[in-house]
């Protein structure tokens, strides 16, 4: 469950999710990020949040 950064309301489910490769760390390993797109039901603010991180 994600919190809206604008008003603090809990948002249950993301509208959309996707996976992408993040930036490499100091050792050169990349992270695979799963990102969720949320829309607040109270203030209609649209925001993203990282759902999971895995090393590739």
């Amino acid at each position: 469950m994600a919190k809206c950064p604008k008003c603090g309301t809990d948002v249950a489910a993301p509208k959309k999710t996707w996976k992408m490769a993040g930036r490499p760390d100091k050792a050169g390993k990349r992270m695979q990020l799963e990102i969720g797109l949320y829309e607040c039901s109270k203030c209609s603010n649209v925001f993203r949040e990282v759902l999971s991180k895995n090393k590739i």
Side-chain angles (χ1 to χ4, degrees):
M1 190 172 292
K3 276 197 177 207
C4 176
K6 195 171 187 180
C7 67
T9 304
D10 288 331
V11 182
K15 289 174 56 174
K16 179 182 174 182
T17 61
W18 67 93
K19 293 182 181 181
M20 65 175 281
R23 294 185 178 162
D25 62 3
K26 292 180 181 179
K29 301 265 183 177
R30 289 188 153 232
M31 299 289 282
Q32 182 178 17
L33 305 171
E34 185 176 1
I35 300 173
L37 182 71
Y38 293 88
E39 183 175 6
C40 180
S41 57
K42 189 174 181 182
C43 68
S44 300
N45 184 35
V46 178
F47 60 97
R48 295 181 300 262
E49 188 166 298
V50 176
L51 302 174
S52 66
K53 294 181 183 179
N54 297 320
K55 285 200 177 185
I56 299 176

